[in-house]
Structure formats: structure tokens, C-alpha cells
Amino acid sequence: MKNIVVLVSGSGTNLQRILDTIDNGEIQNAKVSLVVADRECYGLERAKNHNIDTILIPRGKNFSNELTKVIPENTDLIVLAGFLSILKPEFCEHWNGKIINIHPALLPKYGGKGMWGMNVHHAVIEAKEKESGATVHFVTPGIDEGEAILQKSFEVTESDSPETLAEKVHKIEYEIFPIAINKVLKNQHQ
């Protein structure tokens, strides 16, 4: 059984999707063993409702060091699910190939510092992009620079707004996140 640690900052809808897809067998031979948040958020409640251990580590300069202390050594995968803090390079290097994130755009476009949430969707609309989507990628010291694991796109129409893009992207995130998690876990050496 593979152990997944999920990091959250918000309502935890992607966490819920991961839990649901573990329960229904889409994500195989895995369990969420711990949920860590960088602020008070509903994601912690979702974890508690599933009897999953939770830890709150307030944001700050020692966040990555504190996180290192609480992540079990037998962790197979760390999943950032709506997690907004930036992790220190040493942390990313220690867990290299075992940390993934989902980004609400088609990386390498619209990634990097400041490119999160609605900022991404506003940028896509302003640039008059023909398509957008979501990317599951490995986390590296460079923000949103890790290798893409899975991407899915959709056409951006003239009637789209940042809000409608957010809805469309969220649907794609729900679809590709479990597939990407399975793929990474299967590719890990036994």
C-alpha cells in the first residue's frame, strides 16, 4: 500500500477527489496517510471526516523545515492539492520525483511566481489564448518548472471569462489528477 501525503491551503476539493478515487478504486493500492495545511482551512475538516491524521503548520520561513519533520519517511508521494506556499529548494530536492502539483494552465505557459488561481485565468483571457487546461507536474525548486506528467486542454471561446475558465479547468483537474497519481505511483520502483 502506497502512502500519500497531501498538502492543502483551501477548501480541499482536489483532496476530496483524491479520497473519492481511492475509495472507488481509480487510484489503486494507495491511501492518504496524512494531510498537512499551511493555514486553517476546510481541507483539514475533509481529512478529519475520513479519519486521516492532520497537521497545521502556519506559513512562515520555517515552514519547509517543520514540514520535513512531520512527513513520514515511508511516504511514496506528496501531492500539492490547492497548496499555496512555496517549498524550499532543499525540501523539493529531498523528495525529488515524489512531489506533484496540479496547475490551472498548460505549462510552461502561465506558470511561475504570481501565477495561481484567478491570476492565471485573467492572464489567459487577456492574452486571447485559443486554449487552456490543466497540468499535473513534478515539483522542483523552480516554481512550476518540473516535468509535466499529464496535461489536458480545452478550447477557449470568446464568451469565456476568468470565472468560466476556472470552472472548466477545475473539471479537468478532477479528471486528470487521479490518472496522474496512479501513473506516478506505478512508475515508482517497488
Side-chain angles (χ1 to χ4, degrees):
M1 184 72 72
K2 302 275 187 160
N3 288 305
I4 301 173
V5 173
V6 180
L7 308 187
V8 296
S9 295
S11 66
T13 54
N14 274 317
L15 166 62
Q16 187 65 55
R17 175 74 176 136
I18 292 164
L19 295 171
D20 292 346
T21 51
I22 286 172
D23 288 347
N24 74 19
E26 271 182 72
I27 295 176
Q28 295 155 5
N29 194 29
K31 70 177 197 288
V32 175
S33 54
L34 178 66
V35 172
V36 181
D38 64 351
R39 64 199 75 193
E40 283 292 344
C41 61
Y42 191 66
L44 290 171
E45 293 305 310
R46 289 182 193 272
K48 288 174 187 160
N49 292 341
H50 272 76
N51 299 315
I52 296 166
D53 289 339
T54 62
I55 297 175
L56 172 62
I57 304 173
R59 291 177 69 178
K61 62 180 189 311
N62 288 327
F63 181 84
S64 289
N65 296 342
E66 293 301 312
L67 185 60
T68 298
K69 292 176 192 169
V70 302
I71 293 190
E73 273 306 308
N74 68 347
T75 299
D76 296 290
L77 187 62
I78 299 170
V79 177
L80 310 188
F83 182 71
L84 299 175
S85 288
I86 303 295
L87 296 167
K88 288 215 161 98
E90 305 81 60
F91 183 87
C92 296
E93 284 156 9
H94 178 78
W95 292 100
N96 184 33
K98 290 187 172 190
I99 314 181
I100 65 171
N101 185 30
I102 193 153
H103 187 77
L106 297 172
L107 292 175
K109 286 184 170 185
Y110 306 104
K113 201 165 177 62
M115 281 290 130
W116 55 274
M118 293 305 281
N119 297 355
V120 173
H121 308 309
H122 281 286
V124 168
I125 295 284
E126 283 171 23
K128 297 185 173 18
E129 290 288 348
K130 298 278 186 257
E131 62 176 12
S132 189
T135 307
V136 181
H137 65 95
F138 284 106
V139 174
T140 61
I143 301 170
D144 298 327
E145 291 175 6
E147 178 191 345
I149 299 159
L150 194 60
Q151 272 188 332
K152 186 166 182 188
S153 64
F154 60 85
E155 188 181 340
V156 176
T157 66
E158 284 184 22
S159 61
D160 272 318
S161 66
E163 291 73 21
T164 61
L165 281 191
E167 284 175 34
K168 290 179 180 181
V169 166
H170 210 61
K171 284 185 182 140
I172 284 183
E173 289 179 347
Y174 271 34
E175 189 182 328
I176 69 173
F177 219 175
I179 297 167
I181 289 168
N182 252 344
K183 185 175 175 183
V184 172
L185 290 175
K186 281 184 181 157
N187 287 340
Q188 287 178 346
H189 300 295
Q190 299 301 326

